[in-house]
Amino acid sequence: VWNRDANRLSRDELVRRRGDVLQAVFVFRTPAPGEYKATIKPRQDEVLRAMERWGLVGAGSNFRYPAAAGERADEGLPAEIPEGVGCGVAVKGPMEQPVPEIDLTVGGVDKGQALQRFFRHEKVKAYLNMGEDQEIDPEVHVAVFGDTRNDEPMFGPMGGSRAGLRVVMPHSKDETLRVLSNIEAEVSDVLYVLSAARRAARR
C-alpha cells in the first residue's frame, strides 16, 4: 500500500511525468440547477472527443503505462502486474455527481480492484486480528457506498463474491449502481445503524 497525495499539475508537467501519474481528474465548474445538460455535459463530451482524436483513449489508443512491462519493479511496484493493468487508459465519465468530472486511470485499475488488494494486505488482516489462514469474505465483512460511475466496480464481483452491503446514496443518478445495490440510504444513517447494532451486541 502506497500513500499518494493529490497534486495540481500544469499541462506540461502532467505530460512530462505521465509515467508516474496513476489518476488524473478533470473537474468542471459546478453548474447552476438545471444547467448541467445544457452547458457542462457538452464541454465534457468535447474533451472526450479530443482525447480520442489524440489517441489517448478509444480504439486507436496505443498508450501503455510503463509498469505494464515490469519496467519499474525496482521502485517498489509488484514484479508481476496482473494482465490488463497498464494497457491503455480507462475513462470514467462524463459524470455529473458529486461534481462534474472525468476520471482517467491506468487501464485495469479501479476501486473494485483496489479494494481486493486491500482485503489481502497483511496489515489490514493484522488490524482485524485475523490469522494468516483467514480471509476477508466480502459477503460477510464488507460494505460499500457509492453515488457515481467510478464506484460501480466496488458493487460488482470481487474475487468471486460481492460486498454483502451495497449502499447507493439517495442523490445518485447512476442507474447501474441502483441495479447493483441492495439498499438506498445516506452513509451516515447506515453507519449509525451499524454502530448501534455493534454496541447492542457488546452488552
Side-chain angles (χ1 to χ4, degrees):
V1 176
W2 298 278
N3 294 321
R4 289 290 182 264
D5 296 323
N7 296 299
R8 185 171 182 174
L9 304 177
S10 67
R11 177 186 178 280
D12 291 342
E13 182 70 5
L14 185 63
V15 172
R16 187 181 71 81
R17 294 175 53 186
R18 62 187 181 275
D20 298 319
V21 175
L22 298 177
Q23 181 180 38
V25 179
F26 293 75
V27 180
F28 299 75
R29 70 175 178 84
T30 302
E35 184 189 6
Y36 173 75
K37 290 184 179 179
T39 60
I40 305 301
K41 178 64 162 57
R43 177 57 177 158
Q44 290 176 313
D45 292 339
E46 181 182 344
V47 170
L48 289 175
R49 287 193 296 270
M51 292 179 183
E52 291 178 353
R53 285 197 304 271
W54 285 92
L56 179 63
V57 298
S61 173
N62 59 3
F63 181 87
R64 188 173 178 86
Y65 191 68
E71 298 171 5
R72 297 179 59 202
D74 59 332
E75 296 185 26
L77 291 170
E80 296 182 5
I81 305 296
E83 184 176 355
V85 174
C87 299
V89 174
V91 178
K92 295 293 183 182
M95 292 181 281
E96 179 181 359
Q97 298 177 327
V99 295
E101 65 182 81
I102 297 173
D103 292 0
L104 301 184
T105 60
V106 176
V109 176
D110 55 46
K111 290 185 178 181
Q113 185 185 86
L115 200 53
Q116 290 184 66
R117 292 185 63 189
F118 182 79
F119 295 160
R120 296 193 296 267
H121 199 279
E122 58 183 18
K123 290 184 179 180
V124 173
K125 295 174 68 174
Y127 178 81
L128 297 173
N129 296 317
M130 300 181 73
E132 294 182 1
D133 58 337
Q134 293 179 294
E135 297 293 337
I136 294 175
D137 183 350
E139 293 184 0
V140 177
H141 301 124
V142 178
V144 294
F145 302 81
D147 62 353
T148 193
R149 189 174 303 177
N150 61 6
D151 296 317
E152 291 173 6
M154 296 190 298
F155 282 61
M158 292 182 291
S161 60
R162 298 166 68 187
L165 186 59
R166 303 180 299 280
V167 184
V168 62
M169 299 173 206
H171 65 264
S172 175
K173 296 181 180 179
D174 191 295
E175 292 303 321
T176 300
L177 277 184
R178 294 192 172 279
V179 171
L180 294 174
S181 67
N182 52 15
I183 187 173
E184 176 184 318
E186 295 288 357
V187 175
S188 57
D189 293 339
V190 174
L191 295 181
Y192 177 82
V193 172
L194 292 176
S195 298
R198 186 170 185 179
R199 287 195 300 269
R202 289 177 174 176
R203 292 174 184 169

